[in-house]
Amino acid sequence: MLYFSTRDTSLTATGLEAVVNGIAPDGGLYMPAHFPHLPVESLLSLDALGISKRILGAYFDELSEEEINALIDASYIGRFDTPDLTPLVQLKGAYVLELFRGPTQAFKDVALSVLPHLMTAARKKLGVKKEMLILTATSGDTGKAALTGFCDVAGTRIAVYYPEGGVSPVQQKQMTTQKGKNVAVCAVRGNFDDAQTGVKAIFTSASAKEKLDQLGFSLSSANSINIGRLIPQIMYYYKAYIDLVKIDAIQVGEAVNFIVPTGNFGNILAGYFAKKMGLPVGCLVCASNLNDVLTDFLTTGTYDRRRAFYKTASPSMDILISSNLERLLYLVCGEKTSGYMESLKNTGYYEIDAAELDALKKDFFPARCSEQECLSTVRRVFDENQYLCDTHTAVAFHALSQYQKAEKSTAPAVVLSTASPFKFPNAVLNALEGAAPDDEFEAIERLENISGILAPKALTSLKDIPQRHTDVVKLEEMENYILRKAEQIQWYE
Ligand SMILES: *Cc1c(COP(=O)(O)O)cnc(C)c1O
């Protein structure tokens, strides 16, 4: 399979090259030349690992079946707290697809368990001798999932930038306590958009590239701009559909709607890829928090980031520059994409035409959720089902009720649950009781008592692990920071 840049189709790469490069040389994102057709009928007897193997094999056909099988087994076996990886839970009026059962309690684990193995396989196959330097900006969850995935992986270092004060206290502790010889974690004085823009700038900086080249490093990304992040996520859309068939909730061929709490548009785009591959996906509901730039875009056709940035109770979605939307734009607007991206960079906005907007509206329904609605939805879902959901998942539940009101849809609805509620204990407790202690570990205990569920050990044990990473930089120091780090032969003993 060939891949090319969303901004210039003459810039091509194989799948493995695309993974190693992370981002295309012109700053565009890699797209597959076509969508492999994968009928769900042919996957009905497979488990999560089997489905993953079929999907990865279809997109990375330079790897043999044995290589794909070994890669997926190494990625997942024994690493999630349930062998089916992403269980589907039935509630009143909706299904919840739990994507947070991996090692760091967020949906990012599904892809970031695979990416290091894919990267290692790609380096081997392509004969990349240089050490990989993985640069990552995080709105809270990618950071820990990437650190865990790449920790002590041979021939690789990983650096994570997170917005200072822009992630939950639990998310921050998960990152700053990270062990490993090859990891760096740095707070940035800015928001996630600033951090992501800073990382993209390092990727396209000629001087940074030259210096890192000299030092023997090759840059790549663990953000969802990397196609190797996106493709493993297609699995759970198929898996949820197959689970619905197995419990007789649907017949093969019936449409299923998916409600996705969205920030950088990676998760929901994987659902769109699944639809393009032949999965009967009905509507993809794009659920935004107060940072509702995507909701406005899908409503009006104008993407305008010239607006206030809000810190919300769902911080992993506090994003105004939604990277992966560029891939969707390419599919709908083709060559005009690079112009739109240029306009976004120079003026802060762009506007697609009416036909393009109509095309988007066929597949996507936009919804937004205020802070008050988010908290009251956490409470409502708990009261109605005794099910504790996190604040991001609550944004999706709220979007589902908006969608059902607007469209009178009776198709089965699957809400994607992107994080464990124990990652955001203060906000979740506040939603349930109207108040929460300052200390996040006290809040976790209280939530355990209310819900009768134990918090994951990986989170409660954070209390006793010393903080290891304390670096903080200004935005303009991001490039220098990594160049200085790259000069160090070793980061940690
Ligand atoms: C990253 C994240 C999101 C947003 O996912 P995108 O792929 O960026 O749209 C939603 N919820 C949680 C908990 C996340 O960590």
Side-chain angles (χ1 to χ4, degrees):
M1 167 97 67
L2 210 59
Y3 291 73
F4 51 74
S5 167
T6 45
R7 299 185 194 177
D8 179 352
T9 50
S10 71
L11 290 174
T12 60
T14 66
L16 296 182
E17 287 166 351
V19 167
V20 165
N21 293 348
I23 189 166
D26 61 347
L29 307 188
Y30 285 112
M31 277 296 280
H34 69 273
F35 290 104
H37 183 59
L38 195 57
V40 67
E41 290 86 337
S42 68
L43 305 180
L44 290 175
S45 63
L46 299 181
D47 62 4
L49 271 69
I51 300 167
S52 294
K53 289 169 186 171
R54 290 289 297 277
I55 292 171
L56 213 69
Y59 281 97
F60 295 99
D61 45 12
E62 311 115 280
L63 294 174
S64 69
E65 198 176 330
E66 293 71 47
E67 286 168 319
I68 294 277
N69 291 350
L71 194 159
I72 291 293
D73 287 347
S75 302
Y76 289 135
I77 291 179
R79 294 183 57 90
F80 279 55
D81 70 14
T82 160
D84 67 348
L85 308 188
T86 58
L88 190 71
V89 178
Q90 183 166 10
L91 302 184
K92 292 192 184 103
Y95 299 87
V96 183
L97 180 58
E98 293 187 342
L99 301 177
F100 55 81
R101 304 295 211 94
T104 76
Q105 297 78 42
F107 89 92
K108 310 293 200 292
D109 284 326
V110 176
L112 281 165
S113 299
V114 177
L115 187 65
H117 296 278
L118 194 56
M119 194 81 85
T120 301
R123 287 184 70 222
K124 210 167 122 193
K125 210 94 195 174
L126 299 172
V128 178
K129 293 281 177 305
K130 288 202 163 109
E131 196 172 350
M132 299 295 297
L133 177 54
I134 315 279
L135 288 192
T136 301
T138 182
S139 60
D141 288 325
T142 293
K144 180 62 179 183
L147 290 164
T148 303
F150 283 101
C151 172
D152 291 336
V153 169
T156 306
R157 297 201 208 182
I158 165 127
V160 168
Y161 295 100
Y162 71 92
E164 187 182 37
V167 302
S168 87
V170 173
Q171 289 177 314
Q172 180 165 341
K173 289 214 167 95
Q174 280 186 300
M175 290 188 277
T176 56
T177 55
Q178 177 66 42
K179 299 200 179 82
K181 289 193 183 68
N182 64 337
V183 303
V185 177
C186 181
V188 172
R189 301 231 153 92
N191 61 34
F192 170 74
D193 290 320
D194 299 323
Q196 177 164 254
T197 302
V199 165
K200 280 191 179 170
I202 299 172
F203 272 98
T204 44
S205 154
S207 58
K209 188 173 179 341
E210 194 187 326
K211 180 92 191 275
L212 291 171
D213 253 3
Q214 281 168 7
L215 292 167
F217 286 103
S218 164
L219 273 185
S220 190
S221 170
N223 282 110
S224 54
I225 53 175
N226 193 320
I227 193 74
R229 267 286 300 280
L230 217 53
I231 286 166
Q233 292 177 174
I234 300 168
M235 174 273 288
Y236 47 74
Y237 287 91
Y238 274 91
K239 162 88 171 34
Y241 193 95
I242 291 167
D243 282 346
L244 288 172
V245 173
K246 282 188 182 149
I247 59 169
D248 277 333
I250 55 166
Q251 307 273 321
V252 174
E254 267 181 66
V256 172
N257 298 328
F258 289 90
I259 304 47
V260 191
T262 304
N264 232 342
F265 214 78
N267 197 0
I268 195 167
L269 189 69
Y272 189 66
F273 274 36
K275 187 169 188 174
K276 290 281 186 191
M277 293 164 71
L279 187 72
V281 173
C283 188
L284 289 159
V285 177
C286 174
S288 297
N289 66 18
L290 218 50
N291 295 297
D292 53 0
V293 63
L294 286 166
T295 310
D296 282 347
F297 171 64
L298 290 168
T299 308
T300 65
T302 299
Y303 192 100
D304 193 344
R305 71 174 171 90
R306 299 168 300 174
R307 61 178 70 213
F309 178 98
Y310 297 103
K311 283 190 185 181
T312 71
S314 46
S316 301
M317 293 155 59
D318 290 347
I319 295 176
L320 292 180
I321 308 173
S322 188
S323 290
N324 276 291
L325 186 64
E326 178 169 348
R327 289 194 165 104
L328 177 64
L329 276 185
Y330 177 78
L331 291 170
V332 175
C333 314
E335 281 177 5
K336 286 156 82 181
T337 307
S338 65
Y340 291 147
M341 291 302 111
E342 198 57 30
S343 167
L344 181 63
K345 190 174 161 203
N346 296 333
T347 65
Y349 80 103
Y350 60 85
E351 188 174 359
I352 59 173
D353 68 32
E356 291 163 344
L357 180 59
D358 279 348
L360 289 179
K361 283 184 172 171
K362 286 203 178 73
D363 293 303
F364 294 92
F365 179 91
R368 66 165 64 76
C369 182
S370 71
E371 287 298 273
Q372 205 44 53
E373 287 163 337
C374 171
L375 298 188
S376 64
T377 303
V378 170
R379 197 167 54 241
R380 172 174 66 82
V381 170
F382 187 72
D383 288 346
E384 288 175 1
N385 303 280
Q386 276 65 60
Y387 184 84
L388 194 64
C389 75
D390 97 291
T391 42
H392 304 73
T393 308
V395 168
F397 270 110
H398 179 72
L400 170 63
S401 55
Q402 284 174 291
Y403 174 71
Q404 285 173 333
K405 261 184 225 143
E407 301 290 314
K408 318 241 175 323
S409 163
T410 54
V414 175
V415 169
L416 273 61
S417 180
T418 47
S420 159
F422 296 104
K423 277 193 122 166
F424 309 94
N426 308 71
V428 172
L429 190 58
N430 208 358
L432 294 180
E433 300 200 314
D438 284 338
D439 183 89
E440 57 274 25
F441 299 102
E442 269 176 50
I444 287 179
E445 259 180 53
R446 178 83 193 119
L447 278 184
E448 290 183 316
N449 290 335
I450 295 176
S451 66
I453 320 170
L454 283 182
K457 272 250 162 47
L459 298 183
T460 49
S461 65
L462 288 172
K463 194 174 176 176
D464 306 312
I465 307 177
Q467 176 160 303
R468 200 166 172 242
H469 306 277
T470 52
D471 295 339
V472 186
V473 296
K474 294 192 193 121
L475 292 174
E476 59 274 20
E477 295 165 349
M478 285 177 67
E479 178 170 327
N480 241 325
Y481 174 80
I482 199 61
L483 294 180
R484 265 187 290 116
K485 290 292 281 188
E487 282 173 357
Q488 299 170 9
I489 309 253
Q490 202 177 341
W491 285 356
Y492 289 94
E493 288 294 311

